[in-house]
Amino acid sequence: MLKNRIIPCLDVKNGRVVKGINFIDLKDAGDPVEQAKIYSEGGADEICFLDITASNENRDTIYDVVERTSKKCFVPLTVGGGVRSIDDISKLLNSGADKVSINTAAVQNPKMIIESSKKFGSQCIVVAIDAKKNDNKWEVFTHGGRNNTSINAIDFAKKMEDSGAGELLVTSMDRDGTQIGYDNDLMFKISSTVNIPVIASGGVGNLDHLVDGIKLGNASAVLAASIFHYGTHSIKEAKQYLNSKGIPVRN
Amino acid sequence: MNVTIVDYNSGNISSVINSFKEAAKDKVKIEVTSNLNKIKSSDKLVLPGQGSFKSCVDALSSINGLIETLNEFAIINKKPLLGICVGLQMFADLGYEEIETKGLGWISGKVSKIDNQNNKFKLPHIGWNDIKIIKESRIFKDIENKSHMYFVHSYEFIPDDKSTISATTEYSSNIVCSVEKENIFGTQFHPEKSDRIGLKLIENFLNL
């Protein structure tokens, strides 16, 4: 039986973890590689890096991070943030990423999803959709949530599936950083519209939120950052909790 | 010992390279090449594969003499070969992804789309699934039945001779996820992404 996945996400800026766990035995707590290794040893089903490096001159730092991580972690590694071109995807994959998540570029240039999924295979193309509720619908935002495109998120999700995306990483901008749980209506709407796996993101504050993302949001995988970063919960605890609620997880 | 990962532009193989180097621990030399002479002189081969059946077969065919060299290695000389994902699927006679495409024909059978029961099951089949080991295989040494492996695929290999199946996994139906025929091994899942258990399988292959 296929298991639901737990994916810890690390924000990386200029090659360093922005928010990090404080493990005393860590040689370098700001090193994404060390953090990723702890997650993978703790049973994370995948690791996700979100590169939030702002300046162009430091963009290349992520390739080194990915390369070093992929030599230490033997679970799938997804990297997103600032992916603008086929060449960016190619460089990340060659550095050792298994999947690349694409956000703004997927909206601005949907053809890139068609081309990249043909070139590299759908299995490595994750489209990240940032959505915000407006009345009774959700709209797609780009540029890290700053620009409203007014595109209907549900329609866009379907379009991305048709373009060849292998998975959708759906983040509720309303919930991101609030710790009050995923927007499960949004997750459910998208998940029941498309036939590719949906990864829920944005808003996790406790372990019940992970359970809800799967049970109410119908997500195949749940992504969280701060509850794992700040050591509120370990991956192992999260898995035990999901298991106790009848959700199949990898042991 | 020399183990070669066949580099034929089949997509992203960096994880395969990293995991084999990790499992080899400097005891085994891992080469990554499409050089026919190096492939011929290898002790073992790894045939990765990502993307579609057709794109992988096309990529193999576009390197002059590669398919003949692989045939000689695996079928005539009977040296160990491990196919991963589409690398395994290409063992079949025929694949039906995009259009009907001829495979290597090493293990009779076909590769067709997973029947997802009218969208009841999402495709691709992505994530961790437990495998049912149905035949003792040397690559499963010290790997427990029901171990979890990482999968990403929408197509499945259906071999004619069921005795070649060494493991299956449950997703909408029983999917063949590992085959073994004499010196030829294949996994539909990705051992290179399957954590410690995946590394163990790779180590078992290296130790054959």
Side-chain angles (χ1 to χ4, degrees), chain B residues 15 36 47 141:
Chain B
S15 288
L36 301 184
L47 187 63
K141 185 176 172 279

Side-chain angles (χ1 to χ4, degrees), chain B residues 13-141:
Chain B
I13 59 168
S14 44
S15 288
V16 176
I17 300 168
N18 286 336
S19 59
F20 271 79
K21 286 193 171 160
E22 174 76 14
K25 292 190 187 83
D26 302 325
K27 285 183 289 187
V28 180
K29 195 175 167 216
I30 307 290
E31 286 253 23
V32 184
T33 185
S34 60
N35 180 299
L36 301 184
N37 287 327
K38 282 190 174 163
I39 290 174
K40 279 178 196 167
S41 63
S42 290
D43 298 300
K44 286 170 192 164
L45 285 187
V46 183
L47 187 63
Q50 279 192 352
S52 73
F53 187 96
K54 182 180 182 297
S55 69
C56 286
V57 170
D58 286 349
L60 273 187
S61 314
S62 69
I63 298 172
N64 221 341
L66 180 56
I67 291 184
E68 294 76 6
T69 303
L70 293 177
N71 273 322
E72 187 187 306
F73 188 96
I75 303 300
I76 299 170
N77 295 332
K78 294 205 178 298
K79 291 201 269 186
L81 181 143
L82 175 67
I84 299 173
C85 197
V86 186
L88 147 85
Q89 294 180 358
M90 288 192 297
F91 296 170
D93 303 313
L94 284 172
Y96 293 94
E97 193 169 356
E98 295 180 56
I99 55 164
E100 189 180 295
T101 308
K102 261 185 87 173
L104 294 164
W106 292 347
I107 298 181
S108 275
K110 59 177 185 170
V111 174
S112 41
K113 194 158 193 172
I114 296 170
D115 173 12
N116 70 341
Q117 302 177 17
N118 283 325
N119 296 343
K120 220 176 110 193
F121 289 83
K122 287 184 179 287
L123 287 181
H125 170 218
I126 298 186
W128 297 85
N129 207 333
D130 51 313
I131 65 164
K132 191 174 161 196
I133 300 173
I134 59 171
K135 185 171 93 174
E136 211 171 287
S137 173
R138 285 174 291 165
I139 60 169
F140 290 138
K141 185 176 172 279

